[in-house]
Amino acid sequence: MEKKDETVEEKKYYTISEAAGRMGMTASALRYYDSMGLLPFVEKTASGQRMFQESDFEWLCVLDCLKNTGMQIRDIKQYSDWCREGDATLQKRLDLFLRQRERVLEQIEKLNQSLDRIDYKIWHYRTSVEAGTERCGVGKDQDSYEKWKAEKEN
């Protein structure tokens, strides 16, 4: 029996279903990304079956992050193209991420404003439930809300 060379790493491959499961995506989403040219590194078998490697998951995480933060597919494709072009596009890639960061911060601000409104309505209805009515203005006093909010944060 031949002894296997232990210095050579065997590549582990993942099917599209396995990769999708690991990423919390659907296989159809990965197929779509591939059809849009976002997965140029993914190897395929002779029959065309996509085979993902461990090294592919970092890119999938970046792709997922950009998509989850609202970046359009065309912009992700542009980023993917820039990555393949190499160091000449480093500044473009940095600028893209700086712009996306600003968009995410704006999204967070809007979500925080929405959360504040939701918290106010929770306070309003809890106060009204305790009083048994909202007719007499219970739950509408801004000072009482601010006090409740401060207590909640501590």
Side-chain angles (χ1 to χ4, degrees):
M1 185 192 297
E2 255 184 67
K3 186 176 179 184
K4 201 176 198 182
D5 183 359
E6 293 178 18
T7 61
V8 176
E9 263 186 57
E10 275 194 49
K11 289 184 180 179
K12 166 130 175 72
Y13 289 96
Y14 300 85
T15 65
I16 195 165
S17 295
E18 292 168 334
R22 181 170 165 180
M23 291 300 302
M25 299 177 174
T26 63
S28 61
L30 289 176
R31 283 186 200 93
Y32 173 71
Y33 294 151
D34 190 32
S35 74
M36 297 303 292
L38 299 177
L39 306 177
F41 51 79
V42 174
E43 293 182 26
K44 294 184 180 175
T45 65
S47 63
Q49 182 181 14
R50 294 164 188 88
M51 299 303 295
F52 293 81
Q53 298 176 51
E54 196 63 41
S55 59
D56 298 334
F57 287 99
E58 176 59 30
W59 169 249
L60 290 174
C61 287
V62 172
L63 173 63
D64 192 44
C65 169
L66 294 175
K67 189 69 182 122
N68 286 338
T69 58
M71 186 175 283
Q72 298 293 314
I73 292 292
R74 72 177 177 275
D75 296 327
I76 298 171
K77 173 74 166 93
Q78 179 65 74
Y79 170 68
S80 175
D81 292 345
W82 287 338
C83 288
R84 285 192 304 282
E85 290 174 27
D87 290 348
T89 64
L90 285 171
Q91 186 64 52
K92 290 178 181 180
R93 289 182 267 162
L94 172 60
D95 291 345
L96 177 130
F97 274 91
L98 290 170
R99 283 190 307 273
Q100 191 63 15
R101 184 178 193 282
E102 287 304 312
R103 287 185 197 116
V104 169
L105 289 172
E106 289 170 10
Q107 291 170 358
I108 290 169
E109 179 59 31
K110 288 177 184 176
L111 287 171
N112 281 330
Q113 290 170 1
S114 295
L115 182 59
D116 284 345
R117 175 57 51 184
I118 289 168
D119 284 345
Y120 172 78
K121 295 307 277 184
I122 289 169
W123 171 81
H124 167 79
Y125 287 114
R126 279 190 178 149
T127 304
S128 296
V129 165
E130 289 171 7
T133 185
E134 66 177 335
R135 287 188 181 171
C136 64
V138 173
K140 296 192 188 258
D141 175 24
Q142 190 66 30
D143 290 336
S144 296
Y145 169 67
E146 293 299 331
K147 182 179 175 189
W148 174 81
K149 186 177 173 182
E151 289 172 4
K152 183 181 81 123
E153 290 173 356
N154 291 332

